[in-house]
Coordinates of all heavy atoms in Angstrom, one line a residue:
N1 N 19.7 233.0 58.7 CA 19.8 233.3 57.3 C 19.7 234.9 57.2 O 18.8 235.5 57.7 CB 18.7 232.6 56.6 CG 18.6 232.9 55.1 OD1 18.7 234.0 54.7 ND2 18.3 231.9 54.3
V2 N 20.6 235.4 56.4 CA 20.7 236.9 56.3 C 19.5 237.4 55.6 O 19.0 238.5 55.9 CB 22.0 237.3 55.5 CG1 22.1 238.8 55.3 CG2 23.2 236.9 56.4
L3 N 19.0 236.7 54.5 CA 17.9 237.2 53.8 C 16.6 237.3 54.7 O 15.9 238.2 54.6 CB 17.6 236.3 52.6 CG 16.4 236.7 51.7 CD1 16.6 238.1 51.2 CD2 16.3 235.8 50.5
N4 N 16.4 236.2 55.5 CA 15.3 236.2 56.4 C 15.3 237.4 57.3 O 14.3 238.1 57.6 CB 15.2 234.9 57.2 CG 14.7 233.8 56.4 OD1 14.2 234.0 55.3 ND2 14.9 232.6 56.9
K5 N 16.5 237.7 57.9 CA 16.7 238.8 58.8 C 16.3 240.2 58.1 O 15.6 241.0 58.6 CB 18.1 238.9 59.4 CG 18.2 240.0 60.4 CD 19.6 240.0 61.0 CE 19.8 241.2 62.0 NZ 18.9 242.2 62.1
I6 N 16.8 240.3 56.9 CA 16.5 241.6 56.1 C 15.0 241.7 55.9 O 14.4 242.8 56.1 CB 17.3 241.6 54.8 CG1 18.8 241.7 55.0 CG2 16.8 242.7 53.9 CD1 19.7 241.5 53.8
L7 N 14.4 240.6 55.4 CA 12.9 240.6 55.2 C 12.1 240.9 56.4 O 11.2 241.8 56.4 CB 12.5 239.3 54.5 CG 13.0 239.0 53.1 CD1 12.6 237.6 52.7 CD2 12.4 240.0 52.1
I8 N 12.5 240.3 57.5 CA 11.7 240.5 58.8 C 12.0 241.9 59.3 O 11.0 242.6 59.7 CB 12.1 239.5 59.8 CG1 11.6 238.1 59.4 CG2 11.7 239.8 61.2 CD1 12.1 236.9 60.2
D9 N 13.2 242.4 59.2 CA 13.5 243.8 59.6 C 12.6 244.8 58.8 O 12.0 245.7 59.3 CB 14.9 244.1 59.5 CG 15.8 243.4 60.6 OD1 15.2 242.9 61.6 OD2 17.0 243.4 60.4
K10 N 12.6 244.6 57.5 CA 11.8 245.5 56.6 C 10.3 245.4 56.9 O 9.6 246.4 57.0 CB 12.1 245.0 55.2 CG 11.2 245.8 54.1 CD 12.0 247.0 53.6 CE 11.2 247.5 52.4 NZ 10.9 248.9 52.6
L11 N 9.8 244.2 57.1 CA 8.4 244.0 57.4 C 8.0 244.7 58.8 O 6.9 245.3 58.9 CB 8.0 242.5 57.4 CG 8.0 241.9 56.0 CD1 7.8 240.4 56.2 CD2 6.8 242.5 55.2
F12 N 8.8 244.5 59.8 CA 8.5 245.1 61.1 C 8.5 246.6 61.1 O 7.9 247.3 61.9 CB 9.4 244.6 62.2 CG 9.0 243.2 62.7 CD1 9.9 242.1 62.6 CD2 7.8 243.0 63.3 CE1 9.5 240.9 63.1 CE2 7.4 241.8 63.8 CZ 8.2 240.7 63.6
K13 N 9.2 247.2 60.1 CA 9.2 248.7 60.0 C 7.9 249.2 59.4 O 7.5 250.4 59.6 CB 10.4 249.2 59.1 CG 11.7 249.0 59.8 CD 12.8 249.4 58.9 CE 14.2 249.1 59.6 NZ 15.3 249.4 58.7
D14 N 7.2 248.4 58.7 CA 5.9 248.8 58.1 C 4.8 248.4 59.1 O 4.4 247.3 59.3 CB 5.6 248.0 56.8 CG 4.4 248.4 56.1 OD1 3.6 249.1 56.7 OD2 4.2 248.0 54.9
T15 N 4.2 249.5 59.7 CA 3.2 249.3 60.7 C 1.9 248.7 60.2 O 1.1 248.2 61.0 CB 2.9 250.6 61.5 OG1 2.4 251.5 60.5 CG2 4.1 251.1 62.2
D16 N 1.6 248.7 58.9 CA 0.4 248.1 58.4 C 0.5 246.6 58.2 O -0.4 245.9 57.7 CB 0.1 248.7 57.0 CG -0.3 250.2 57.2 OD1 -0.8 250.5 58.3 OD2 -0.2 251.0 56.2
V17 N 1.7 246.0 58.4 CA 1.9 244.6 58.2 C 1.8 243.8 59.5 O 2.4 244.2 60.5 CB 3.3 244.3 57.6 CG1 3.6 242.8 57.5 CG2 3.3 245.0 56.2
N18 N 1.0 242.8 59.5 CA 0.9 241.9 60.7 C 1.6 240.6 60.5 O 1.2 239.9 59.6 CB -0.6 241.7 61.0 CG -0.9 241.0 62.3 OD1 0.0 240.4 62.9 ND2 -2.1 241.1 62.8
I19 N 2.6 240.3 61.3 CA 3.4 239.1 61.1 C 3.2 238.2 62.4 O 3.3 238.7 63.5 CB 4.9 239.4 61.0 CG1 5.1 240.3 59.8 CG2 5.7 238.1 60.9 CD1 6.5 240.8 59.7
N20 N 2.8 237.0 62.2 CA 2.6 236.1 63.3 C 3.7 235.0 63.2 O 3.5 234.0 62.4 CB 1.2 235.5 63.3 CG 0.2 236.5 63.6 OD1 0.1 237.0 64.7 ND2 -0.7 236.8 62.7
L21 N 4.7 235.1 64.0 CA 5.7 234.1 64.0 C 5.4 233.1 65.1 O 4.8 233.4 66.1 CB 7.1 234.7 64.3 CG 7.5 235.8 63.3 CD1 8.8 236.5 63.8 CD2 7.7 235.2 61.9
G22 N 5.9 231.8 64.9 CA 5.6 230.8 65.9 C 4.2 230.3 66.0 O 3.7 229.9 67.0
T23 N 3.5 230.4 64.9 CA 2.1 230.0 64.9 C 1.9 228.9 63.9 O 2.7 228.7 63.0 CB 1.1 231.2 64.4 OG1 1.5 231.6 63.1 CG2 1.2 232.3 65.4
E24 N 0.9 228.1 64.2 CA 0.6 226.9 63.3 C -0.8 227.1 62.8 O -1.8 227.2 63.5 CB 0.7 225.6 64.1 CG 0.4 224.4 63.3 CD 0.4 223.1 64.1 OE1 1.0 223.1 65.2 OE2 -0.2 222.1 63.6
Y25 N -0.9 227.2 61.5 CA -2.2 227.3 60.8 C -3.0 226.1 61.1 O -2.6 224.9 61.0 CB -1.9 227.4 59.3 CG -3.1 227.3 58.4 CD1 -4.0 228.3 58.1 CD2 -3.4 226.0 57.8 CE1 -5.1 228.2 57.3 CE2 -4.6 225.9 57.0 CZ -5.4 226.9 56.8 OH -6.5 226.8 56.0
V26 N -4.3 226.3 61.4 CA -5.2 225.2 61.6 C -6.3 225.1 60.5 O -6.5 224.1 59.8 CB -5.9 225.3 63.0 CG1 -7.0 224.3 63.2 CG2 -4.9 225.3 64.1
S27 N -6.9 226.3 60.2 CA -8.0 226.3 59.2 C -8.3 227.8 58.9 O -7.7 228.7 59.6 CB -9.2 225.6 59.6 OG -9.8 226.3 60.7
H28 N -9.1 228.0 57.9 CA -9.6 229.4 57.6 C -11.0 229.4 57.1 O -11.5 228.4 56.6 CB -8.6 230.1 56.7 CG -8.7 229.6 55.3 ND1 -7.9 228.6 54.8 CD2 -9.4 230.1 54.2 CE1 -8.2 228.4 53.6 NE2 -9.1 229.3 53.2
S29 N -11.6 230.5 57.2 CA -12.9 230.7 56.6 C -13.0 232.2 56.2 O -12.0 232.9 56.3 CB -14.0 230.4 57.6 OG -13.9 231.2 58.8
F30 N -14.2 232.6 55.7 CA -14.3 234.0 55.2 C -15.4 234.7 56.0 O -16.3 234.1 56.5 CB -14.6 234.0 53.7 CG -13.5 233.5 52.9 CD1 -13.5 232.2 52.4 CD2 -12.4 234.3 52.6 CE1 -12.5 231.7 51.7 CE2 -11.4 233.8 51.8 CZ -11.4 232.5 51.4
S31 N -15.2 236.0 56.2 CA -16.2 236.8 56.9 C -17.5 236.7 56.1 O -17.6 236.4 54.9 CB -15.7 238.2 57.1 OG -15.6 238.8 55.8
N32 N -18.6 237.1 56.8 CA -19.9 237.1 56.1 C -20.0 237.9 54.8 O -20.7 237.5 53.9 CB -21.0 237.5 57.1 CG -21.3 236.5 58.2 OD1 -21.0 235.4 58.1 ND2 -21.8 237.0 59.3
D33 N -19.3 239.0 54.8 CA -19.3 239.8 53.5 C -18.1 239.4 52.6 O -18.0 240.1 51.6 CB -19.2 241.3 53.9 CG -18.0 241.6 54.7 OD1 -17.1 240.8 54.9 OD2 -17.9 242.8 55.2
N34 N -17.4 238.4 52.9 CA -16.2 237.9 52.1 C -15.1 238.9 51.9 O -14.3 238.8 51.0 CB -16.7 237.4 50.7 CG -17.4 236.0 50.8 OD1 -17.0 235.2 51.7 ND2 -18.4 235.8 50.0
N35 N -15.1 240.0 52.8 CA -14.0 241.0 52.6 C -12.8 240.6 53.5 O -11.8 241.3 53.3 CB -14.6 242.3 53.0 CG -15.5 242.9 52.0 OD1 -15.3 242.6 50.8 ND2 -16.4 243.8 52.4
K36 N -12.9 239.7 54.4 CA -11.8 239.3 55.3 C -11.7 237.8 55.3 O -12.7 237.1 55.2 CB -12.0 239.8 56.7 CG -12.1 241.3 56.8 CD -10.7 241.9 56.8 CE -10.8 243.4 57.0 NZ -9.5 244.1 56.9
V37 N -10.5 237.3 55.5 CA -10.3 235.9 55.8 C -10.0 235.7 57.3 O -9.3 236.5 57.9 CB -9.1 235.4 54.9 CG1 -7.8 236.0 55.2 CG2 -9.0 233.9 55.1
I38 N -10.7 234.8 57.8 CA -10.6 234.5 59.3 C -9.7 233.3 59.4 O -10.0 232.2 58.9 CB -12.0 234.2 59.9 CG1 -12.9 235.4 59.7 CG2 -11.8 233.9 61.4 CD1 -14.4 235.1 59.9
V39 N -8.6 233.5 60.0 CA -7.6 232.4 60.2 C -7.6 231.8 61.6 O -7.5 232.6 62.6 CB -6.2 232.9 59.8 CG1 -5.1 231.8 60.0 CG2 -6.1 233.5 58.4
N40 N -7.8 230.5 61.7 CA -7.7 229.8 63.0 C -6.3 229.2 63.1 O -5.9 228.5 62.2 CB -8.8 228.7 63.0 CG -10.2 229.3 62.7 OD1 -10.6 230.2 63.4 ND2 -10.8 228.8 61.7
F41 N -5.7 229.5 64.2 CA -4.3 229.0 64.4 C -4.1 228.7 65.9 O -4.9 229.0 66.7 CB -3.3 230.0 63.9 CG -3.3 231.3 64.6 CD1 -2.5 231.6 65.7 CD2 -4.2 232.3 64.2 CE1 -2.6 232.8 66.3 CE2 -4.2 233.6 64.8 CZ -3.4 233.8 65.9
K42 N -3.0 228.0 66.1 CA -2.6 227.7 67.5 C -1.2 228.2 67.6 O -0.4 228.2 66.7 CB -2.7 226.3 67.9 CG -1.8 225.3 67.2 CD -2.1 223.9 67.8 CE -1.2 222.9 67.2 NZ -1.5 221.5 67.7
Q43 N -0.9 228.7 68.8 CA 0.4 229.3 69.1 C 0.9 228.7 70.3 O 0.2 228.6 71.3 CB 0.3 230.8 69.2 CG 1.6 231.6 69.4 CD 1.4 233.1 69.2 OE1 0.3 233.6 69.3 NE2 2.5 233.7 69.0
D44 N 2.2 228.2 70.3 CA 2.8 227.6 71.4 C 3.5 228.7 72.2 O 4.5 229.3 71.8 CB 3.8 226.6 71.0 CG 4.4 225.8 72.2 OD1 3.8 225.9 73.3 OD2 5.4 225.1 72.0
E45 N 2.9 229.0 73.4 CA 3.4 230.0 74.3 C 4.0 229.3 75.5 O 3.3 229.1 76.5 CB 2.4 231.1 74.7 CG 1.9 231.9 73.5 CD 0.9 233.0 73.9 OE1 0.6 233.0 75.1 OE2 0.5 233.7 73.1
I46 N 5.3 229.0 75.4 CA 6.0 228.3 76.5 C 5.2 227.1 77.0 O 4.8 227.0 78.2 CB 6.3 229.3 77.7 CG1 6.9 230.6 77.1 CG2 7.2 228.6 78.7 CD1 7.1 231.7 78.2
G47 N 4.9 226.2 76.1 CA 4.2 224.9 76.4 C 2.7 225.0 76.5 O 2.1 224.0 76.7
N48 N 2.1 226.2 76.3 CA 0.7 226.3 76.3 C 0.2 226.5 74.9 O 0.4 227.5 74.3 CB 0.2 227.5 77.2 CG 0.6 227.3 78.7 OD1 0.6 226.2 79.2 ND2 1.1 228.4 79.3
N49 N -0.5 225.5 74.4 CA -1.1 225.7 73.0 C -2.3 226.5 73.1 O -3.3 226.2 73.7 CB -1.4 224.3 72.4 CG -0.2 223.6 71.9 OD1 0.7 224.2 71.5 ND2 -0.2 222.3 72.0
K50 N -2.2 227.7 72.6 CA -3.3 228.7 72.6 C -3.9 228.8 71.3 O -3.3 229.1 70.3 CB -2.7 230.1 73.0 CG -3.6 231.2 73.1 CD -2.9 232.5 73.5 CE -3.8 233.7 73.5 NZ -3.0 234.9 73.8
H51 N -5.3 228.5 71.2 CA -6.0 228.6 69.9 C -6.6 230.0 69.8 O -7.2 230.5 70.7 CB -7.1 227.5 69.8 CG -6.5 226.1 69.7 ND1 -6.4 225.5 68.5 CD2 -6.0 225.3 70.6 CE1 -5.8 224.3 68.6 NE2 -5.6 224.2 69.9
E52 N -6.4 230.6 68.6 CA -7.0 231.9 68.3 C -7.5 232.0 66.9 O -7.2 231.2 66.1 CB -5.9 233.0 68.5 CG -5.5 233.3 69.9 CD -4.6 234.5 69.9 OE1 -4.9 235.5 69.3 OE2 -3.5 234.4 70.5
S53 N -8.3 233.0 66.7 CA -8.8 233.3 65.3 C -8.6 234.8 65.2 O -8.9 235.6 66.1 CB -10.3 233.0 65.2 OG -10.5 231.6 65.3
K54 N -8.1 235.2 64.0 CA -8.0 236.6 63.7 C -8.4 236.8 62.2 O -8.4 235.9 61.4 CB -6.5 237.1 63.8 CG -6.0 237.1 65.3 CD -4.7 237.7 65.4 CE -4.2 237.8 66.8 NZ -2.9 238.4 66.9
Q55 N -8.8 238.1 61.9 CA -9.2 238.5 60.6 C -8.1 239.2 59.9 O -7.4 240.0 60.5 CB -10.4 239.3 60.6 CG -11.7 238.6 61.0 CD -12.9 239.5 60.9 OE1 -12.9 240.5 60.2 NE2 -14.0 239.1 61.5
F56 N -7.9 238.9 58.6 CA -6.8 239.5 57.8 C -7.4 239.8 56.4 O -8.4 239.3 56.0 CB -5.6 238.5 57.6 CG -5.0 238.1 58.9 CD1 -5.3 236.9 59.5 CD2 -4.0 239.0 59.5 CE1 -4.7 236.6 60.7 CE2 -3.5 238.6 60.7 CZ -3.8 237.4 61.3
D57 N -6.7 240.7 55.7 CA -7.0 241.0 54.3 C -6.6 239.9 53.4 O -7.2 239.7 52.4 CB -6.4 242.3 53.9 CG -7.0 243.5 54.6 OD1 -8.2 243.5 54.9 OD2 -6.2 244.5 54.9
Y58 N -5.4 239.3 53.7 CA -4.8 238.3 52.8 C -4.4 237.1 53.6 O -4.0 237.2 54.8 CB -3.6 238.8 52.1 CG -3.9 240.0 51.3 CD1 -3.7 241.3 51.7 CD2 -4.4 239.9 50.0 CE1 -3.9 242.4 51.0 CE2 -4.7 241.0 49.2 CZ -4.4 242.3 49.7 OH -4.7 243.4 48.9
L59 N -4.4 235.9 53.0 CA -3.7 234.7 53.5 C -2.8 234.2 52.4 O -3.3 233.9 51.4 CB -4.8 233.7 53.9 CG -4.3 232.3 54.4 CD1 -3.4 232.5 55.6 CD2 -5.4 231.4 54.6
I60 N -1.5 234.2 52.7 CA -0.6 233.8 51.7 C 0.0 232.4 52.1 O 0.5 232.2 53.2 CB 0.6 234.8 51.6 CG1 0.0 236.2 51.3 CG2 1.6 234.4 50.6 CD1 1.0 237.3 51.4
A61 N -0.1 231.5 51.1 CA 0.4 230.1 51.3 C 1.9 230.0 50.9 O 2.2 229.9 49.7 CB -0.4 229.1 50.5
C62 N 2.8 230.1 51.9 CA 4.2 230.0 51.6 C 4.8 228.8 52.3 O 5.9 228.8 52.7 CB 4.9 231.3 52.2 SG 4.4 232.8 51.5
D63 N 4.0 227.8 52.4 CA 4.4 226.6 53.1 C 4.6 225.4 52.2 O 4.5 224.2 52.6 CB 3.5 226.2 54.2 CG 2.0 226.3 53.9 OD1 1.7 226.8 52.8 OD2 1.2 225.8 54.6
G64 N 4.9 225.6 50.9 CA 5.4 224.6 50.0 C 4.3 223.9 49.3 O 3.1 224.2 49.4
P65 N 4.7 222.9 48.4 CA 3.8 222.2 47.5 C 2.7 221.4 48.3 O 1.7 221.1 47.8 CB 4.7 221.3 46.7 CG 5.9 221.2 47.4 CD 6.1 222.5 48.2
Q66 N 3.0 220.9 49.5 CA 2.1 220.2 50.3 C 1.3 221.0 51.3 O 0.8 220.6 52.3 CB 2.8 219.0 51.0 CG 3.6 218.1 50.2 CD 2.7 217.4 49.1 OE1 1.6 217.0 49.4 NE2 3.2 217.3 47.9
S67 N 1.1 222.3 50.9 CA 0.5 223.3 51.8 C -0.9 222.9 52.2 O -1.7 222.6 51.5 CB 0.5 224.6 51.0 OG -0.3 225.6 51.6
L68 N -1.0 223.0 53.6 CA -2.4 222.8 54.1 C -3.3 223.9 53.7 O -4.5 223.7 53.5 CB -2.3 222.7 55.7 CG -3.6 222.4 56.4 CD1 -4.2 221.1 55.9 CD2 -3.3 222.3 57.9
I69 N -2.8 225.1 53.6 CA -3.6 226.3 53.1 C -4.1 226.0 51.7 O -5.3 226.1 51.4 CB -2.8 227.6 53.2 CG1 -2.5 227.9 54.6 CG2 -3.6 228.7 52.5 CD1 -1.5 229.1 54.8
R70 N -3.2 225.6 50.8 CA -3.6 225.3 49.4 C -4.6 224.1 49.4 O -5.6 224.1 48.7 CB -2.4 224.9 48.6 CG -1.5 226.1 48.2 CD -0.5 225.6 47.2 NE 0.3 226.7 46.7 CZ 1.4 227.2 47.3 NH1 1.8 226.6 48.4 NH2 2.0 228.2 46.8
K71 N -4.4 223.1 50.2 CA -5.3 222.0 50.3 C -6.7 222.4 50.7 O -7.7 222.1 50.1 CB -4.8 220.9 51.3 CG -5.7 219.7 51.4 CD -5.1 218.7 52.4 CE -6.1 217.6 52.6 NZ -5.6 216.7 53.7
N72 N -6.8 223.3 51.7 CA -8.1 223.8 52.2 C -8.7 224.7 51.2 O -9.9 224.9 51.3 CB -7.9 224.5 53.6 CG -7.6 223.5 54.7 OD1 -7.8 222.3 54.5 ND2 -7.2 224.0 55.8
C73 N -8.0 225.3 50.3 CA -8.5 226.1 49.2 C -8.8 225.4 47.9 O -9.2 225.9 46.9 CB -7.5 227.3 48.9 SG -7.4 228.5 50.2
N74 N -8.5 224.1 48.0 CA -8.6 223.2 46.7 C -7.8 223.8 45.6 O -8.2 223.9 44.5 CB -10.0 223.0 46.3 CG -10.8 222.3 47.3 OD1 -10.3 221.3 47.9 ND2 -12.0 222.7 47.6
S75 N -6.6 224.3 45.9 CA -5.7 224.9 45.0 C -4.4 224.0 44.8 O -3.8 223.6 45.7 CB -5.3 226.3 45.4 OG -4.4 226.9 44.6
N76 N -4.1 223.8 43.5 CA -2.9 223.0 43.2 C -1.6 223.9 43.3 O -1.7 225.1 43.1 CB -3.0 222.4 41.9 CG -4.1 221.3 41.8 OD1 -4.3 220.6 42.8 ND2 -4.8 221.3 40.7
F77 N -0.5 223.2 43.5 CA 0.8 223.9 43.4 C 1.2 223.9 41.9 O 1.4 222.8 41.3 CB 1.8 223.1 44.3 CG 3.2 223.7 44.3 CD1 3.4 224.8 45.1 CD2 4.2 223.2 43.5 CE1 4.7 225.4 45.1 CE2 5.5 223.8 43.5 CZ 5.7 224.9 44.3
L78 N 1.4 225.0 41.4 CA 1.8 225.1 40.0 C 3.3 225.1 39.9 O 4.0 225.7 40.7 CB 1.3 226.4 39.3 CG -0.2 226.5 39.3 CD1 -0.7 227.9 38.8 CD2 -0.9 225.4 38.6
G79 N 3.9 224.4 39.0 CA 5.3 224.3 38.8 C 5.9 223.0 39.4 O 5.1 222.1 39.8
K80 N 7.2 223.0 39.5 CA 7.8 221.8 40.0 C 8.5 222.1 41.3 O 9.3 223.0 41.4 CB 8.9 221.3 39.0 CG 8.3 220.9 37.7 CD 9.4 220.4 36.7 CE 8.8 220.1 35.4 NZ 9.9 219.7 34.4
P81 N 8.2 221.3 42.4 CA 8.9 221.5 43.6 C 10.4 221.2 43.5 O 10.7 220.3 42.7 CB 8.2 220.6 44.6 CG 7.3 219.7 43.8 CD 7.2 220.2 42.4
S82 N 11.2 221.9 44.1 CA 12.7 221.7 44.0 C 13.1 220.6 44.9 O 12.5 220.2 45.9 CB 13.5 222.9 44.3 OG 13.1 223.4 45.6

């Protein structure tokens, strides 16, 4: 998809943006001071499922109306899924 390529190219040019491709969200929690979100995920590295946790400023749920992230946040999907 041309749009995906444009977006990814633009994001990789911004050194302040962290993009994790090929990862599967498992769960999240918040740091003790609530300033960071700690994301637990697994990444398939050539057949080896590697579990990791990293801290981020934001966690964005872009995985649709049945989002596991939204479910874990007790947040509803607003609007109508297409």
Side-chain angles (χ1 to χ4, degrees):
N1 179 317
V2 174
L3 181 57
N4 285 345
K5 182 176 178 355
I6 292 169
L7 290 172
I8 289 171
D9 288 346
K10 175 94 172 125
L11 287 172
F12 278 120
K13 289 179 184 175
D14 185 348
T15 58
D16 292 336
V17 174
N18 188 340
I19 302 170
N20 290 296
L21 302 175
T23 59
E24 181 181 341
Y25 167 86
V26 175
S27 64
H28 71 275
S29 59
F30 296 96
S31 62
N32 290 337
D33 58 6
N34 284 326
N35 286 333
K36 298 281 184 183
V37 61
I38 303 164
V39 179
N40 304 303
F41 60 93
K42 68 179 179 181
Q43 187 167 16
D44 186 14
E45 293 183 0
I46 312 172
N48 298 321
N49 283 327
K50 180 180 174 184
H51 289 262
E52 286 190 50
S53 296
K54 290 188 179 179
Q55 291 189 15
F56 299 96
D57 292 326
Y58 301 96
L59 175 61
I60 301 171
C62 298
D63 48 346
Q66 303 301 320
S67 168
L68 184 56
I69 296 169
R70 283 188 177 88
K71 180 181 175 186
N72 289 345
C73 291
N74 295 319
S75 177
N76 294 325
F77 181 81
L78 301 177
K80 297 178 183 177
S82 56

